[in-house]
Amino acid sequence: GAGVSQTPSNKVTEKGKYVELRCDPISGHTALYWYRQSLGQGPEFLIYFQGTGAADDSGLPNDRFFAVRPEGSVSTLKIQRTERGDSAVYLCASSPTPGQHTGELFFGEGSRLTVL
Amino acid sequence: LAKTTQPISMDSYEGQEVNITCSHNNIATNDYITWYQQFPSQGPRFIIQGYKTKVTNEVASLFIPADRKSSTLSLPRVSLSDTAVYYCLVGEGNTPLVFGKGTRLSVIA
């Protein structure tokens, strides 16, 4: 389809392991966002890319979290030494132009991460 | 400091008009008001966005009074498929979206 694609849809891992989550945005969208959503809560901002560069990473909770977008399209969210508190749905969104409040963000279905 | 306040939940019967009001007393001059809808196991979906007065699209209307300290999302003639969580967000430019807990709308047959 033409929407935002996220893989894997589900990931179960053990505490301390390394995890990568992938986001394939809508073709041509220059802005890409990562959010995460815990059970019963609204999504929380993690990081925003404009092109290849991280324009705002103020939402990353600590240095175990890192994200890249090397060619300005696909992005990977990387979590090192996972902890049980990292369990959540990780949502990716893209938009054709920057502006989270001046346009529409297109969200994927998310990657559900469970850390045992 | 919470930017928006909205009811935790609402119930409605099919075919009724539903109005969800969001309070944003501290809205800034450059802030826009945006509503998203989220179904279980899906990402949020943009519904409507406005700055002042009234905005209407094919799925909803957004009413914003002159002081902009609140807004009301109006869903005409809801159906069971409108059962979802609805989020009201305010902000400017490319500042991050702050979702809050949203309003859980349950549509009953």
Side-chain angles (χ1 to χ4, degrees):
Chain A
V4 175
S5 176
Q6 293 189 245
T7 55
S9 55
N10 277 287
K11 175 71 176 178
V12 179
T13 191
E14 293 179 342
K15 180 175 179 294
K17 299 289 189 183
Y18 170 80
V19 165
E20 288 191 353
L21 306 175
R22 174 189 167 107
C23 173
D24 203 336
I26 294 172
S27 178
H29 282 195
T30 60
L32 184 145
Y33 313 84
W34 284 98
Y35 281 74
R36 76 174 174 180
Q37 186 170 25
S38 301
L39 193 62
Q41 306 294 320
E44 294 178 304
F45 171 77
L46 294 177
I47 187 169
Y48 150 59
F49 286 90
Q50 180 55 40
T52 61
D56 183 354
D57 64 359
S58 62
L60 294 178
N62 51 59
D63 61 6
R64 295 188 297 105
F65 289 75
F66 189 71
V68 296
R69 195 186 185 199
E71 298 178 357
S73 178
V74 171
S75 176
T76 304
L77 179 66
K78 308 180 181 194
I79 310 173
Q80 298 178 322
R81 304 182 304 279
T82 52
E83 299 177 356
R84 293 192 180 89
D86 299 334
S87 296
V89 175
Y90 289 80
L91 294 162
C92 178
S94 69
S95 62
T97 56
Q100 298 182 67
H101 291 280
T102 53
E104 177 178 355
L105 263 60
F106 297 83
F107 281 85
E109 293 193 346
S111 293
R112 180 177 297 278
L113 174 66
T114 302
V115 182
L116 301 177
Chain B
L1 180 65
K3 296 194 80 172
T4 63
T5 302
Q6 51 184 124
I8 296 292
S9 64
M10 293 181 69
D11 294 333
S12 177
Y13 287 101
E14 275 193 296
Q16 289 190 327
E17 177 183 81
V18 169
N19 296 310
I20 307 175
T21 296
C22 178
S23 188
H24 28 80
N25 292 317
N26 297 318
I27 191 167
T29 302
N30 295 329
D31 284 350
Y32 279 74
I33 301 159
T34 309
W35 286 79
Y36 278 81
Q37 173 193 55
Q38 187 175 26
F39 298 113
S41 301
Q42 294 188 24
R45 187 179 75 158
F46 175 93
I47 302 174
I48 198 165
Q49 185 175 81
Y51 182 79
K52 62 180 179 180
T53 63
K54 177 184 173 183
V55 181
T56 297
N57 62 23
E58 63 276 8
V59 298
S61 294
L62 178 59
F63 298 92
I64 306 168
D67 67 5
R68 304 201 325 123
K69 292 184 182 299
S70 67
S71 60
T72 299
L73 175 72
S74 181
L75 304 172
R77 298 179 300 282
V78 294
S79 65
L80 295 175
S81 63
D82 292 316
T83 294
V85 178
Y86 292 81
Y87 296 98
C88 166
L89 303 95
V90 299
E92 67 167 306
N94 211 12
T95 58
L97 302 177
V98 178
F99 278 85
K101 292 191 175 183
T103 296
R104 186 172 299 276
L105 174 65
S106 298
V107 180
I108 307 162

